[in-house]
Amino acid sequence: MKELTKAEEQVMQILWKKGEAFVKEIVDEFEDNKPAYTTIATILKILETKGFVSHHEFGKMYKFFPIIDKDEYGRKYLNNFAKNYFNSSFKKIASFFVEDNEVSVNELEEIRRIIDKEIKSKRAE
């Protein structure tokens, strides 16, 4: 699966939220500096070529919908991110986020609960 450009990801976020949409509906979702209709149509053609979206035809109009799940893409993207920036070390990732970002005590405790639960599950296997 290929990575999305920023513009492609913006369009995909809209499609993941809406489920399906015509080009005009996607353009209308942008709040400031709305892109041109033709720009969004071009991005959708690229996304279709990359295998991220498909469409239904309604006369001369196309209604686009995602064929790649948001969670599936997110997992793939995060794995590539971890590989490229942290040598696939989740320990380094966790350290980065905990040390370099303002993580509240509540969030840290919740992360600990999630990790403890996963440890118990893996030990039971």
Side-chain angles (χ1 to χ4, degrees), residues 54-65:
S54 189
H55 68 271
H56 300 292
E57 292 185 43
F58 295 91
K60 293 182 180 181
M61 300 192 55
Y62 291 174
K63 192 168 203 176
F64 293 89
F65 58 92

Side-chain angles (χ1 to χ4, degrees), residues 107-119:
E107 287 176 311
L108 288 171
E109 288 172 343
E110 181 61 27
I111 292 167
R112 177 192 257 165
R113 281 192 285 278
I114 292 167
I115 291 170
D116 288 344
K117 182 179 175 185
E118 188 64 24
I119 289 170

